[in-house]
Amino acid sequence: MRTRHVLLLVPLLLALLFAPADPAAAHAALRTTTPADGAVLDTAPRHLTLTFTEPVALLDGSVRVLDPGNHRVKTPEPAHGPDGDRTVRLALPEDLGRGTFTVAWRVVSADSHPVSGAFTFSVGEPTPTTAALDPTPPEHPATTALHNAARYLAYLAAALLLGTAVFTAVCRPADPGRLRPLLRTGWWALLAATVALLVLRAPYEAGTAPWTALDPDALNRTLTGRPGLALLARLALLAATALYLRKPSARRTPAAHAVGAALATGLALTWAAAEHASAGIQVPAAMTSSVLHLLAMSVWLGGLAALLRSTPSAETTTRFSRLALTCVSVLVVTGVYQSWRGLGSFDALTGTSYGRLLLTKLGVVAVLLTAAAFSRRWTARLGRTTTATVAATATASEPAVHARTPQPVGGPAASAPEPPAPEPPAPEPPAPEPPAPEPPASEPPASAQEPPAPAPDPAALRRSVLVEATLAVLVLVVTTVLTSTLPGRAAAEAATPARQEPVTSTATVPFDVGTPAGRGRVQVSLDPARAGANSVQAVVFGPDGGFATVPELRISFTLPAQDLGPIDARLTDRGGYWATDDVTLPLAGTWTMKVTVRVSEVDQVTERTRVRIGR
């Protein structure tokens, strides 16, 4: 690519890389919790609500609650909240108790990677707790090691299989039979890696030992989930690929090559459907970019392996050089797009693990492109030397052209002997003529003027290609790590909660009926304080600040802006507090909450306050 073209692309690439975009993520991150982490509540909540930055899938025991004594609280299984699969809701028992509680959670994000964490809240006064939960994801070391090894092997095997197949079809080496072992190795390695990923999927999600994959429920969950379906599709495509590769490349028709291209695209889609591209913003464009990126990487890296394995001619090497240049162009365009989508800001380059890994990848890619430039220079020299050799051979093989002596018109045939001619008379001596100028010396041919350029050393070309292949493998390893790292955009979104209405609302309403014991306050909590179904809890405190019992407590809601209400909450005495689990506030807005407290048969008072109900 010319320098001026690169200079024209730089502003565009920078704009794409650091332009703002809508919030998005790949890898779910916990945005908010209700109660909030470290919150101290007067009464026990009826539900826990966890809100994530993207849709999540639930596992068995996705949310666990531990009491101050580190004993697990008996709760039903969690479910998605009313806002969809970005929220997880867990009902808590009425007799939860007091003290500090620890909540541990583990879910699977939309891009198939499990995420986990923990937070605490207290009821009454915070108390020491023996629960010691590591906030980092609980992983079984054997499962993690095997799963990561299978992921690396799958990428390398795909590159070897697809790259060798494309090299054979496009570059047309003189000895395609030497590449059959590479095709078989790539196919079998990808098959083994895919089976391993399928078997380890359930233990990887749950963070358990590898042998828990034999659990029928876990296996069923894997086979019905999106990552498991993608792996099953990969196995089916591998079976079709095996049938396709049985026919030698030289005997394939254009239609057969089209089938091969479709199989390669389908294999690449099985990665895009279960990785970062399947979640976040611009999913169709992201999946297209991911497929092209994986195919270009495979063709380049696998082609390098095929080039080292075969005995390439100048024509084969030149074809691969052009193919590699196309792959590099595709990798640059798709890589810039994916970097912008994953980062979202300049600060994320140095402020997140994803950004630092991306900088490492860019550094290795820069060295890789330098090695590729040397390989391309050697290829060009090899092509020029081969062309000159062919031309010289063609010139040397032409028959020599001898000068012919002109014959007079009507003269005897060349085969007839000439009769002796009579002796002519002696001519007079001619007048002296000026000396004729000497003819200019003919210039030697160009080949004689300059010595031919020395032929490039094939061993040097092979060393350059080997360095290029090694660096490409390193880039592939860093890319695999990137696919399992929380992108910078998601980390920023999790660190900065979205501007939204609070998910709970607590109001304190003072009252005074005019008698010495007839004053105090009512603390009312609404969960989730959004339009739709809500739960209401109310606790009455006496003049001394302690809990108080009253014979009756009524709460109703009115929305004056819409002339809606009053809506009676229909509270019931739960033994120490008043509550209801189902009051419907249909619209968002600022509601007027009317609280009526009766402290005796004849003494009661009504107070009003405003509460905000979100969307």
Side-chain angles (χ1 to χ4, degrees), residues 123-151:
V123 179
E125 296 293 332
T127 58
T129 177
T130 59
L133 288 178
D134 190 351
T136 59
E139 307 289 352
H140 194 281
T143 301
T144 301
L146 291 174
H147 189 271
N148 288 338
R151 291 181 69 241

Side-chain angles (χ1 to χ4, degrees), residues 366-541:
V367 179
L368 172 60
L369 292 178
T370 303
F374 278 103
S375 298
R376 185 170 176 80
R377 183 179 303 175
W378 279 102
T379 302
R381 287 184 57 190
L382 180 62
R384 288 195 300 268
T385 303
T386 304
T387 303
T389 303
V390 171
T393 303
T395 302
S397 62
E398 290 181 0
V401 179
H402 301 283
R404 298 180 60 188
T405 303
Q407 300 291 330
V409 179
S415 59
E418 294 186 5
E423 191 78 20
E428 296 180 359
E433 295 181 1
E438 296 183 359
S442 60
E443 295 184 1
S447 58
Q449 291 181 1
E450 299 178 2
D457 183 9
L461 175 60
R462 185 171 293 272
R463 286 193 297 270
S464 178
V465 171
L466 183 59
V467 171
E468 188 178 348
T470 303
L471 292 172
V473 171
L474 182 57
V475 170
L476 188 60
V477 171
V478 177
T479 301
T480 307
V481 177
L482 271 175
T483 60
S484 59
T485 303
L486 179 68
R489 189 188 297 274
E493 186 181 359
T496 306
R499 291 174 292 180
Q500 59 180 6
E501 302 294 339
V503 295
T504 57
S505 177
T506 301
T508 300
V509 182
F511 67 91
D512 189 351
V513 299
T515 61
R519 58 187 177 87
R521 57 190 174 90
V522 181
Q523 181 174 290
V524 183
S525 300
L526 285 87
D527 181 19
R530 293 182 180 177
N534 285 264
S535 63
V536 180
Q537 297 179 12
V539 180
V540 181
F541 296 92

Side-chain angles (χ1 to χ4, degrees), residues 106-175:
R106 184 179 180 90
V107 296
V108 181
S109 58
D111 63 353
S112 78
H113 296 288
V115 290
S116 59
F119 66 94
T120 63
F121 69 92
S122 301
V123 179
E125 296 293 332
T127 58
T129 177
T130 59
L133 288 178
D134 190 351
T136 59
E139 307 289 352
H140 194 281
T143 301
T144 301
L146 291 174
H147 189 271
N148 288 338
R151 291 181 69 241
Y152 294 138
L153 180 61
Y155 275 110
L156 287 172
L160 188 61
L161 175 63
L162 300 180
T164 304
V166 173
F167 180 87
T168 305
V170 175
C171 300
R172 301 191 296 275
D175 50 351

Side-chain angles (χ1 to χ4, degrees), residues 207-376:
T208 56
W211 49 84
T212 59
L214 302 178
D215 180 27
D217 293 336
L219 185 59
N220 179 68
R221 187 172 65 245
T222 296
L223 297 180
T224 56
R226 184 160 54 88
L229 292 175
L231 292 172
L232 289 176
R234 188 182 302 171
L235 291 175
L237 289 169
L238 280 174
T241 303
L243 297 176
Y244 173 80
L245 293 177
R246 292 180 62 183
K247 193 172 187 178
S249 176
R251 297 169 53 187
R252 296 188 189 123
T253 62
H257 287 302
V259 171
L263 290 174
T265 304
L267 286 172
L269 269 172
T270 62
W271 271 274
E275 295 289 350
H276 289 170
S278 62
I281 61 172
Q282 304 174 358
V283 170
M287 291 188 66
T288 302
S289 174
S290 178
V291 169
L292 292 176
H293 198 83
L294 179 59
L295 289 176
M297 178 276 301
S298 299
V299 171
W300 189 11
L301 178 57
L304 288 172
L307 189 65
L308 289 172
R309 171 68 179 174
S310 64
T311 308
S313 62
E315 292 80 3
T316 300
T317 307
T318 302
R319 293 188 192 106
F320 178 72
S321 178
R322 295 168 182 167
L323 181 63
L325 183 61
T326 302
C327 292
V328 170
S329 302
V330 174
L331 288 172
V332 168
V333 174
T334 56
V336 168
Y337 171 75
Q338 292 178 1
S339 300
W340 164 79
R341 187 173 180 269
L343 286 173
S345 67
F346 181 80
D347 294 337
L349 268 177
T350 56
T352 63
S353 299
Y354 185 89
R356 290 187 288 271
L357 275 173
L358 184 59
L359 287 176
T360 302
K361 177 180 176 180
L362 292 177
V364 180
V365 167
V367 179
L368 172 60
L369 292 178
T370 303
F374 278 103
S375 298
R376 185 170 176 80

